[in-house]
Amino acid sequence: MLNLPNIMVAPNGARRSKTDHPKLPITIDETVEVCRACADAGATGAHLHVRDKYGKHTIDVHAYQRLLDKLDSALPGFFAQITSETAGLFTAEDQRHLIQTLKPKSVSVALREFLPDEATRPAAREAYHWAYENGVTIQHICYSAPELDRLLAFMVDGTIPGQHHHIQLVLGSYDGTKISKPDAVAAFADPLIHPEQGLSFDWMVCAFGAPETDCLLQTLALGGKARIGFENSLWNRDSSLADSNAERVQELVALQGA
């Protein structure tokens, strides 16, 4: 299993467009160029979304393959993770098709989308085991402490196989109803920092708005890793609008080393 990068840029996401920020990448070529700039700034990996010809979120296998091929050519060895996010447009079946057809090295999967209830457990279990057996590393996304507890229970009972896992903790919310707070990181991540049942974790946090930087600094101090970029926040630590994804990475790198 690959290790997660210390700093992973998330340059666009499923929701924002150039009306939100003119330098938000939409096309595959734009995304590759942003990843190149972010690598120069200190990122060692990227969390990748692709868009359709209308600029809308998609999980199209062929689009992802084109992006991965171009990124590998431009930045050999750069950690590339695709997302299976449904964004209300796709189903768990669509997610499974993407994962099993593309066989990416790393893919993020939200538990609440992939295994929302007991009725979906058999299909999800089969897909989790298929990924484990075929070298596809899933980074499991959790949006709350109860959701993390539910995920850990699935790891303990074998629904999700393996002892070592990649985790993404989401601190706050896209719509701003939940504020990202640096002092909330330790409690949220505690089951990962002090694991039980023989499990171990490579974990990461993302946060929203101007608090993003301080949340990620706290995460790094606790031994976690940081996902940063325009998917989650367009703003610097001082609440100024960031010029680019690379500027967000530069700020975090500079402060981490301060």
Side-chain angles (χ1 to χ4, degrees):
M1 179 183 290
L2 297 172
N3 292 326
L4 287 170
N6 195 49
I7 298 176
M8 176 188 285
V9 66
N12 48 15
R15 296 162 178 80
R16 287 188 165 127
S17 69
K18 289 189 184 295
T19 60
D20 296 295
H21 197 293
K23 292 186 179 178
L24 186 137
I26 297 295
T27 69
I28 287 174
D29 287 342
E30 287 174 342
T31 301
V32 171
E33 286 309 306
V34 166
C35 287
R36 194 198 304 269
C38 289
D40 290 341
T44 51
H47 169 78
L48 302 166
H49 288 249
V50 287
R51 306 293 182 94
D52 64 18
K53 63 182 180 180
Y54 304 106
K56 301 298 184 181
H57 172 67
T58 184
I59 54 173
D60 180 73
V61 171
H62 302 293
Y64 267 130
Q65 189 63 68
R66 291 195 300 273
L67 174 55
L68 292 172
D69 289 345
K70 288 198 171 190
L71 190 60
D72 185 59
S73 178
L75 291 169
F78 194 69
F79 187 101
Q81 177 190 86
I82 69 162
T83 182
S84 67
E85 181 177 358
T86 67
L89 301 172
F90 302 100
T91 66
E93 184 178 359
D94 294 326
Q95 292 176 301
R96 295 192 296 269
H97 172 76
L98 167 67
I99 294 167
Q100 293 176 0
T101 304
L102 188 61
K103 294 184 181 179
K105 293 180 181 179
S106 177
V107 57
S108 66
V109 175
L111 179 67
R112 68 186 188 184
E113 294 180 343
F114 209 65
L115 206 172
D117 51 41
E118 195 60 26
T120 59
R121 192 201 284 225
R125 185 185 191 282
E126 183 178 354
Y128 283 131
H129 280 255
W130 181 93
Y132 183 76
E133 293 161 5
N134 285 273
V136 175
T137 299
I138 291 176
Q139 186 179 25
H140 305 276
I141 303 176
C142 289
Y143 293 82
S144 67
E147 194 170 47
L148 178 58
D149 289 341
R150 182 169 175 260
L151 176 71
L152 297 179
F154 287 139
M155 292 172 177
V156 170
D157 71 18
T159 299
I160 298 172
Q163 297 299 113
H164 184 69
H165 301 276
H166 288 186
I167 306 287
Q168 173 76 55
L169 301 179
V170 181
L171 198 65
S173 63
Y174 288 100
D175 62 9
T177 56
K178 292 172 60 179
I179 304 301
S180 300
K181 297 180 179 179
D183 59 6
V185 176
F188 196 177
D190 186 70
L192 309 181
I193 299 170
H194 304 102
E196 298 180 358
Q197 305 287 344
L199 298 173
S200 62
F201 303 99
D202 194 355
W203 61 280
M204 179 175 281
V205 166
C206 66
F208 299 86
E212 177 187 51
T213 301
D214 286 328
C215 290
L216 298 183
L217 288 171
Q218 179 68 7
T219 298
L220 293 166
L222 291 168
K225 295 175 178 179
R227 196 183 89 180
I228 190 168
F230 282 0
E231 174 170 356
N232 299 106
S233 178
L234 305 173
W235 295 276
N236 293 318
R237 191 187 198 190
D238 64 2
S239 297
S240 63
L241 184 67
D243 176 69
S244 64
N245 277 284
E247 184 174 273
R248 295 297 304 118
V249 174
Q250 287 169 344
E251 179 177 69
L252 183 63
V253 170
L255 290 168
Q256 183 188 16

